[in-house]
Amino acid sequence: MFYEMTIAGLKRQLPLCPINKDLYIAAFIMFNDVEITQVAATELLKKAPEFDVIVTAESKGIPLAYEMARQAGGKDYIVARKAPKLYMTNVIQTNVDSITTDHIQTLCIGQAEADQITGRRVLIVDDVISTGESLKSMELLVNSVKGNIVGRMTVLAEGGAAHRDDISFLEELPVFNADGSIK
């Protein structure tokens, strides 16, 4: 089963994937889709407030964050990693319970990333926001190093996230019943 939608003027078929027996979500995969990554970055930047650095989670949002930073004239972007890396010092971390992952994840940054965020205008970016758990974890990281969050942006707002007034997005993505109908 697929859900066809238009995202930033481009049609895509998103495969429907079960979360449980009663809930399916449409998988939006930016990896390997340069065209949609470039166009989505362009459209999001049109809505973006002034910012100094982009923060995203180590996920499918990475190519979007990179492309937005590139199109914005080479702004900095930070990836909150899923685990501490050997090069990181003074690691700051938080936990994430995401709808698309079957276990609790960690997001973390090191001192170098913290220094790039502290006192700067931060734009948090992700490919899809649904429950908001990844977003909340990124906010905790940014706030813990005294970054100034100026915006939260995503390509798709899934389910109830489309009704939030604290995020900007390009398209609303519904959630689905097991038979593929929209909930």
Side-chain angles (χ1 to χ4, degrees):
M1 289 185 293
F2 292 90
Y3 177 68
E4 184 172 285
M5 69 181 302
T6 301
I7 305 165
L10 303 173
K11 283 192 185 216
R12 294 295 186 266
Q13 285 195 333
L14 310 181
L16 297 185
C17 304
I19 297 299
N20 58 46
K21 67 181 184 83
D22 298 318
L23 176 65
Y24 279 56
I25 61 171
F28 175 57
I29 312 297
M30 293 191 77
F31 291 139
N32 306 325
D33 195 337
V34 173
E35 181 182 35
I36 204 151
T37 302
Q38 291 173 332
V39 172
T42 299
E43 294 306 310
L44 285 171
L45 284 170
K46 290 177 183 176
K47 298 178 169 198
E50 289 293 321
F51 67 94
D52 302 310
V53 60
I54 292 172
V55 172
T56 195
E58 187 173 25
S59 67
K60 297 181 303 288
I62 295 171
L64 177 65
Y66 165 80
E67 184 61 19
M68 288 178 71
R70 187 192 70 76
Q71 286 185 26
K75 301 266 186 172
D76 292 333
Y77 77 100
I78 304 293
V79 176
R81 304 297 304 262
K82 290 183 179 177
K85 301 299 176 189
L86 293 175
Y87 64 84
M88 291 178 162
T89 60
N90 301 323
V91 174
I92 302 160
Q93 63 185 36
T94 185
N95 291 327
V96 181
D97 187 10
S98 172
I99 191 172
T100 57
T101 306
D102 64 356
H103 60 280
I104 301 291
Q105 292 180 290
T106 298
L107 286 182
C108 59
I109 58 173
Q111 188 64 55
E113 294 82 14
D115 290 345
Q116 285 184 280
I117 295 169
T118 301
R120 297 180 77 198
R121 297 172 296 180
V122 177
L123 182 63
I124 297 177
V125 172
D126 209 348
D127 61 327
V128 177
I129 294 175
S130 69
T131 63
E133 290 300 313
S134 297
L135 177 65
K136 185 173 18 173
S137 291
M138 287 186 281
E139 289 174 340
L140 286 170
L141 287 174
V142 170
N143 288 332
S144 72
V145 297
K146 298 184 178 28
N148 177 25
I149 299 170
V150 295
R152 298 152 187 86
M153 303 192 90
T154 186
V155 177
L156 303 177
E158 185 174 54
H163 306 292
R164 293 177 60 153
D165 61 2
D166 64 331
I167 62 172
S168 297
F169 59 92
L170 298 181
E171 303 295 338
E172 183 174 344
L173 180 63
V175 293
F176 301 87
N177 295 303
D179 65 1
S181 61
I182 295 173
K183 276 198 172 284

